[in-house]
Amino acid sequence: MKSGSIDRRLLTILLVVFVQMLGASLIFPVLPLYAQREFHLSAELITLLSASFFAAQFLSGPYVGRLSDNYGRIPVLIVSQIGTVISFVILAFAPSFGWLFFARILDGITGGNIIVAQAYITDITPREKRTESLGYILAAFGLGFMFGPALGGALAAAYGPAVPFLVAAVAAAAVVLLTWYALDETLSAEERRRARARRAGSLTLGSLLGGAPWALPLLAVLLIAFLGQFALGLLQSTFALFGEAVLFQGKSREVTDVGIGLLLSVVGISQLFTQTYLLRRMAQRFDEGQLVVMGSILRTIGMTVYALVTTPWLGAFGSLFFAVGYGLSSPPLQSMATSLVTDQDRGSALGWFQSSINLSTIISTAIAGVLFARGPTVPYWIGAATSALVVLAMIGMMRWMPAKSLRASETQSAP
């Protein structure tokens, strides 16, 4: 990645995403075990705690994207980040498990950070470069994930489970200041006025189902995103529990916390490599559909590795394959979604994209605890099966998507 050739605004928004992800990933390995150890929640309730965040984000996602189209990216981004700060502080001082749910729901309702960051990037990036530029968001994710989980596990082991939440709150507060002082608005006052006035053309559920030329291809992309996210939902809601029950069985609490954090750091390193090196080169040789197929195959392999191994060293290979696969498949799908609609609806399209993966995450995390209770590896076998299903769905879609996509793009660009 040559920084000299990248828009300063892109570098700034990626820095915002990195700091945000660093804070969010601090709590990733800590929260499930915190809920289990301090509040004595069962695996079923712990995964429902994860699902509550995504349920709230699912309901708010389309509105957040539309608000950013109507009123600008920066105000919505700042408000969503302030909600994250408050939620982390509540987690640190929660007197009962009900407050844990409240904090996660609050963060979900205001959690439009990534939706707006993606919309911001599409504002400043030509269509032919969007897959690569949206991939940089996952690179920032990966960089944050390199340090966040390991740091969160180390802080919890050394100072107690509340400390990672407070450090995450400080990181989120820093993002608010960074956004306020360093980012410029990408939508002019006239563009925001037109977006507010253009009610009939906005991406409502009715317009998605109303037979517009772009509606069917966009719905197909959303369905594939839903299927692709299912494995990730199963993984992220049970991984800390899986690590304690299988990979670090019989180890001390401190070793388990740090070990799980390090395994998640492998995800971050793999994401960073994929987005800064691999995806850019693969995108020059393969089209978006092919990238989704290849990435989904790698995710299938990663979930299968998790289901088979019992040691942390081999588990790292599962993290590697899954992260690279996710990194290859997600940006092309996002790029497809934004390319099928008008420029004024990019934020809304990304809001619906985020809602589709949130709905998938809600369902997968809600049932993950039940599956885990049946056996620690059951969620991973099912995740491997759904990832394989994405491969078949994308291959089928590629047979008719190019022509329909082209016609939709022509329709959208017509005067």
Side-chain angles (χ1 to χ4, degrees):
M1 184 171 61
K2 300 178 181 179
S3 60
S5 64
I6 296 181
D7 193 309
R8 176 191 64 82
R9 297 169 297 174
L10 176 58
L11 291 175
T12 304
I13 195 68
L14 292 176
L15 180 59
V16 167
V17 172
F18 163 70
V19 178
Q20 174 71 25
M21 192 58 199
L22 179 66
S25 64
L26 275 167
I27 75 167
F28 191 78
V30 177
L31 182 58
L33 299 178
Y34 176 60
Q36 181 185 63
R37 294 166 180 170
E38 304 298 324
F39 298 93
H40 309 292
L41 298 189
S42 65
E44 291 88 345
L45 280 176
I46 290 171
T47 52
L48 283 177
L49 176 63
S50 298
S52 67
F53 169 84
F54 295 104
Q57 199 171 67
F58 166 72
L59 294 174
S60 66
Y63 299 100
V64 169
R66 198 179 310 159
L67 284 171
S68 76
D69 288 335
N70 292 349
Y71 299 101
R73 311 304 189 201
I74 303 304
V76 177
L77 191 57
I78 288 175
V79 170
S80 69
Q81 291 162 349
I82 291 173
T84 297
V85 174
I86 295 172
S87 70
F88 285 162
V89 172
I90 293 174
L91 286 174
F93 298 104
S96 66
F97 74 88
W99 283 96
L100 297 182
F101 279 90
F102 174 77
R104 298 308 288 151
I105 291 171
L106 173 65
D107 197 13
I109 291 173
T110 61
N113 317 45
I114 302 306
I115 297 171
V116 181
Q118 291 166 343
Y120 192 101
I121 284 180
T122 62
D123 290 341
I124 63 175
T125 306
R127 291 188 181 222
E128 64 273 12
K129 291 289 187 180
R130 282 185 193 160
T131 292
E132 179 181 336
S133 295
L134 288 168
Y136 290 147
I137 281 193
L138 287 183
F141 263 64
L143 191 59
F145 235 88
M146 281 176 61
F147 303 105
L151 180 59
L155 288 172
Y159 302 108
V163 172
F165 301 121
L166 295 176
V167 175
V170 171
V175 170
V176 175
L177 297 177
L178 184 62
T179 302
W180 179 266
Y181 288 108
L183 276 182
D184 302 321
E185 179 59 58
T186 57
L187 298 181
S188 67
E190 177 61 22
E191 287 173 319
R192 299 195 296 269
R193 186 196 64 78
R194 287 201 304 266
R196 291 194 296 270
R198 205 174 39 85
R199 300 282 183 181
S202 61
L203 282 183
T204 63
L205 181 60
S207 66
L208 280 174
L209 302 177
W214 45 262
L216 189 58
L218 181 56
L219 284 172
V221 169
L222 297 181
L223 176 60
I224 289 178
F226 174 93
L227 292 173
Q229 186 71 12
F230 205 86
L232 180 60
L234 294 173
L235 173 66
Q236 67 186 10
S237 59
T238 61
F239 190 75
L241 302 175
F242 171 74
E244 185 173 56
V246 177
L247 300 180
F248 296 95
Q249 185 179 20
K251 303 295 184 182
S252 68
R253 175 183 295 195
E254 291 75 17
V255 169
T256 299
D257 289 346
V258 173
I260 291 171
L262 289 174
L263 282 178
L264 292 173
S265 293
V266 174
V267 175
I269 295 170
S270 304
Q271 281 281 20
L272 183 63
F273 167 76
T274 302
Q275 304 309 324
T276 59
Y277 179 81
L278 186 60
L279 178 63
R280 186 153 55 95
R281 285 158 176 76
M282 297 286 281
Q284 293 171 355
R285 298 184 58 186
F286 303 100
D287 63 33
E288 291 169 335
Q290 292 171 325
L291 289 173
V292 174
V293 169
M294 289 184 287
S296 300
I297 291 173
L298 290 176
R299 282 196 293 182
T300 303
I301 295 172
M303 293 299 282
T304 303
V305 170
Y306 282 135
L308 291 173
V309 304
T310 57
T311 65
W313 308 108
L314 294 175
F317 286 99
S319 298
L320 172 66
F321 282 111
F322 189 89
V324 172
Y326 187 82
L328 286 179
S329 59
S330 184
L333 279 174
Q334 293 171 352
S335 180
M336 286 181 184
T338 61
S339 297
L340 290 169
V341 299
T342 63
D343 289 345
Q344 292 82 6
D345 281 329
R346 287 192 298 257
S348 296
L350 287 167
W352 280 107
F353 186 93
Q354 188 67 40
S355 286
S356 70
I357 64 176
N358 284 340
L359 179 60
S360 176
T361 308
I362 292 165
I363 297 172
S364 58
T365 54
I367 68 172
V370 176
L371 297 174
F372 184 86
R374 290 181 174 271
T377 63
V378 172
Y380 302 95
W381 285 118
I382 293 178
T386 57
S387 296
L389 184 60
V390 171
V391 176
L392 299 178
M394 193 67 224
I395 290 174
M397 182 177 173
M398 287 166 63
R399 295 182 179 277
W400 61 269
M401 179 70 179
K404 290 182 180 292
S405 174
L406 178 61
R407 288 198 295 271
S409 297
E410 289 171 348
T411 300
Q412 294 302 318
S413 60

